[in-house]
Amino acid sequence: MTDIDKLLAGFAGFRAERFATDSFRALARDGQNPRLLVIACSDSRVDPAILFGTGPGELFVVRNVANLVPPYQPDGLFHGTSAAIEFAVRDLGVAHVVVLGHSSCGGIAALAAEGGEARDFIGSWMSLAAHTCACGGAREREQASIRRSVENLSSFPWIAERVAAGELELHGWWFDLEEGHLWRLADEGFTPLA
Ligand SMILES: [Zn+2]
């Protein structure tokens, strides 16, 4: 079975088992109204819908290399992550934003690696997390990057307003994919959550 055949077999199973029973038709008719935005890594091992057992319509998800949030920078350039955040917060009115990082993150590891091959886009994207290089091992760098992304969320004025009004909560979570546990960002650092 080729890679594409495998996808199509999976889709056939989805059509047979889930399409009719899950709420796809109602969601298509009524539109989506997710309560949560999750900003996760593109890493193939950390799919939010799998981790949290959510169904269609429940999570608005943006995934990028190393789950980074850039600072608020409305300069007319191509800010895909910021556009997704804006749509989720201002148009969908989500109540929670979760920045979901993870252990063994290749993006964060690349920051600490010396002399990697030149890339066209990854270097400038990962410079958003360059401050994390000085703070210890992989776990510390991954968690420092999540903290910075949550701080950057607060630099978006319409996020800061909604947080101040109690309409929106920001969360920084780190998934330990070796141990299968979830940690949350707190004032004193990352603490076990689940
Ligand atoms: Zn990652």
Side-chain angles (χ1 to χ4, degrees), residues 8 38 42 93 172:
L8 295 178
V38 177
S42 298

Side-chain angles (χ1 to χ4, degrees), residues 40-46 64-67 100-109 142 177:
C41 185
S42 298
D43 190 300
S44 58
R45 301 165 294 182
V46 291
N64 62 41
V65 173
N67 46 271
L100 176 67
H102 66 101
S103 63
S104 302
C105 183
I108 299 293
E142 289 153 0
L177 67 83

Side-chain angles (χ1 to χ4, degrees), residues 119-143:
R119 291 288 179 263
D120 293 335
F121 300 103
I122 297 171
S124 76
W125 175 251
M126 287 309 302
S127 71
L128 287 169
H131 66 287
T132 63
C133 273
C135 37
R139 174 187 180 127
E140 286 72 26
R141 289 195 300 275
E142 289 153 0
Q143 294 182 349

